[in-house]
Amino acid sequence: MKYLIRSVKYLLLWIVLYTAIMAVMYFTGTMAQPLADGFVETLRLQLLGTPRGWTMLAAVVALAAAYPRFGFGVRRVEGDLELHRTQVLNAMRACGFELVRDTGEELLFRGADPLKRLTLLFEDELRVSQYGQWIEIEGIRRATVRAAWRLEGYLAHLKEN
């Protein structure tokens, strides 16, 4: 069910983005194709009335269907969650996340402000846990990559001192 919800959210994002771009082009008169009587009719003609539109529609649907597979993941940073807790908290704070739950074995972070949450399509939950000798960060890929990169920097700074 979570997979389907993530796909639909991503599809809606692409629909809004496409509609916004088309609206700008329509109202500024920069569309290459002939215009219809109104914006909605022009949008329908551009999307459903041309082979390019059908190709675009198929590509966006395929991309949205695959998004949960490539848009979410796990990053690991060598370290100890208990020993390096301060660095983990600082790295997450620097990336715009706040701690919402600490179970002892896992830390759960969410976006610290509504804009952060919106830009991550409200899929802003990052789980941080210990996996062997690694600190594991799981969640939306672009946030996990940034958080892992920042945490690696913080931990490298500790080793230098």
Side-chain angles (χ1 to χ4, degrees), residues 72-90:
F72 294 82
V74 175
R75 287 288 189 259
R76 293 188 181 116
V77 177
E78 192 168 0
D80 184 87
L81 186 56
E82 215 174 287
L83 183 63
H84 301 118
R85 181 183 172 91
T86 302
Q87 287 75 23
V88 170
L89 293 173
N90 288 339

Side-chain angles (χ1 to χ4, degrees), residues 5-61:
I5 291 170
R6 287 176 173 169
S7 289
V8 169
K9 282 182 182 181
Y10 199 63
L11 179 63
L12 290 175
L13 172 69
W14 276 106
I15 289 170
V16 169
L17 184 63
Y18 179 80
T19 304
I21 291 169
M22 293 298 284
V24 167
M25 291 173 61
Y26 177 82
F27 291 111
T28 59
T30 56
M31 279 189 149
Q33 301 292 328
L35 303 177
D37 292 335
F39 172 67
V40 174
E41 184 63 21
T42 300
L43 188 62
R44 189 189 66 74
L45 283 174
Q46 294 290 323
L47 195 57
L48 303 176
T50 64
R52 188 179 293 177
W54 281 104
T55 302
M56 170 83 143
L57 189 60
V60 167
V61 169

Side-chain angles (χ1 to χ4, degrees), residues 85-105:
R85 181 183 172 91
T86 302
Q87 287 75 23
V88 170
L89 293 173
N90 288 339
M92 294 307 233
R93 191 174 308 114
C95 290
F97 290 90
E98 64 184 356
L99 181 65
V100 292
R101 189 172 61 221
D102 180 357
T103 65
E105 295 179 11

Side-chain angles (χ1 to χ4, degrees), residues 1 8 16 26-27 52 64 71 96 106 109 126 131 134 137 153-154:
M1 188 64 168
V8 169
V16 169
Y26 177 82
F27 291 111
R52 188 179 293 177
E106 180 180 79
F109 293 88
L126 294 183
Y131 182 79
W134 305 94
I137 305 169
Y154 288 177

